[in-house]
Amino acid sequence: MKIIRLVLKELVGMFVDDGSLALLALILIALITAAVKLLALPPLAGGVLILAGCLAILLESTRRGARGKVR
């Protein structure tokens, strides 16, 4: 069972280095998509929100990574 867990962890690690970054980006995209489809948010506004949200998530992830390297 440990070998399966190790293989899965390595496979995910090949594509996703920062799990929280990937998870937050997926959540952001799902929320904005729902807002565009269900709440009639204009697609251009949705695109701007995705861009701003991704930049904020990336900034937070970069700060978290920098703090981890200093300590």
Side-chain angles (χ1 to χ4, degrees), residues 5-61:
R5 197 173 308 140
L6 179 65
V7 168
L8 287 175
K9 186 176 179 180
E10 287 297 319
L11 282 173
V12 170
M14 287 188 337
F15 300 104
V16 179
D17 186 37
D18 186 356
S20 65
L21 175 78
L23 182 63
L24 288 173
L26 288 174
I27 290 171
L28 173 71
I29 290 169
L31 289 175
I32 300 299
T33 300
V36 168
K37 295 287 185 183
L38 301 175
L39 302 177
L41 182 72
L44 184 60
V48 170
L49 287 173
I50 286 178
L51 177 63
C54 284
L55 289 174
I57 292 168
L58 184 59
L59 178 64
E60 185 271 330
S61 177

